[in-house]
Amino acid sequence: NRYEKGLMKDMCEEINAEGKAVEGHNMKRRTVDDGKTVKRLEQLLKHHLRGDWHRQYVIRLVFCEALNLVSTAAVWCLTNRFLEYRFETYGGDIYKFWNDLMTIGTIEPINNIEKYGPHDAVFPKVTKCDFHTFGYSGTQQRHDALCVLMLNVINEKVYIVLWYWYILAFVLGAVMIIKRLLLLIPDIFM
């Protein structure tokens, strides 16, 4: 890691080297020596954690987590714009539709076989297509047909997973930043 400059790795290697000398290179059965290893670990921590090294490390960590939060929000906004501003309520509308909570705004199709839901508005599965062919006389003919968009069946499921994933990533990122900032507050005021 660029920010810690390998200090944690050095401390762990030094402790492991002492454990190997005490235990005879058997790492599975190695235990912490009663006082020697604990005292050496205490010396290493006091040496490496004096000054502002740990505070700078935590501030950089919080900064990286904030960048992660900004990145998640930016991807949410770009996805929402890509789907013509229908992504922000997409997951909630799908949840309401699947649990029959959505009655207002549900449009019944003509055949009444299946319900028309919010996923069909964002990712239509059937559309009108124009086919141009050449007839017997060599002139171009236009045929109207219905085309099935099979990829939209997959897209609606992918985007519902993405909707919940973005929400989860944003909430967990915000909670982690708040937790780290709360841990820094006593350090700042003392």
Side-chain angles (χ1 to χ4, degrees):
N1 189 340
R2 192 177 110 196
Y3 292 126
E4 71 171 349
K5 299 177 182 105
L7 295 175
M8 293 298 218
K9 180 182 172 190
D10 292 343
M11 288 188 331
C12 291
E13 284 178 359
E14 188 169 338
I15 292 169
N16 284 339
E18 287 181 10
K20 286 179 186 176
V22 173
E23 296 295 327
H25 300 288
N26 189 354
M27 296 302 289
K28 290 181 182 176
R29 302 184 72 200
R30 184 177 62 86
T31 59
V32 177
D33 191 14
D34 55 355
K36 183 179 177 186
T37 306
V38 173
K39 286 181 183 179
R40 183 62 186 148
L41 180 60
E42 185 178 337
Q43 288 174 350
L44 287 171
L45 288 174
K46 282 181 182 178
H47 172 72
H48 289 299
L49 297 181
R50 71 172 186 256
D52 282 343
W53 175 81
H54 61 288
R55 186 175 298 137
Q56 290 173 1
Y57 182 74
V58 171
I59 289 171
R60 289 174 183 154
L61 177 68
V62 170
F63 177 72
C64 289
E65 287 179 346
L67 284 179
N68 187 19
L69 198 64
V70 168
S71 171
T72 304
V75 169
W76 175 278
C77 292
L78 288 173
T79 306
N80 191 31
R81 184 176 167 121
F82 173 71
L83 293 178
E84 297 175 354
Y85 302 101
R86 294 186 221 158
F87 187 68
E88 56 195 25
T89 61
Y90 184 65
D93 291 344
I94 296 290
Y95 177 78
K96 291 175 191 173
F97 179 74
W98 282 343
N99 291 321
D100 290 329
L101 300 174
M102 179 182 263
T103 56
I104 300 171
T106 303
I107 301 168
E108 291 287 331
I110 295 171
N111 58 12
N112 289 330
I113 294 174
E114 64 180 72
K115 291 167 72 174
Y116 183 86
H119 46 62
D120 295 319
V122 179
F123 299 106
K125 295 176 196 67
V126 178
T127 187
K128 178 184 171 287
C129 297
D130 291 332
F131 288 107
H132 298 279
T133 61
F134 291 98
Y136 293 112
S137 64
T139 60
Q140 194 175 20
Q141 296 177 343
R142 187 178 136 223
H143 300 284
D144 288 335
L146 288 176
C147 294
V148 178
L149 305 173
M150 294 305 293
L151 190 58
N152 279 355
V153 175
I154 297 168
N155 283 343
E156 71 183 21
K157 288 154 183 69
V158 167
Y159 277 90
I160 191 67
V161 169
L162 284 176
W163 192 86
Y164 284 107
W165 181 256
Y166 292 158
I167 295 284
L168 181 69
F170 190 82
V171 168
L172 289 178
V175 166
M176 289 305 295
I177 288 175
I178 291 169
K179 176 187 163 196
R180 299 221 192 271
L181 289 176
L182 288 176
L183 289 174
L184 283 177
I185 285 174
D187 222 17
I188 292 171
F189 292 116
M190 292 184 162

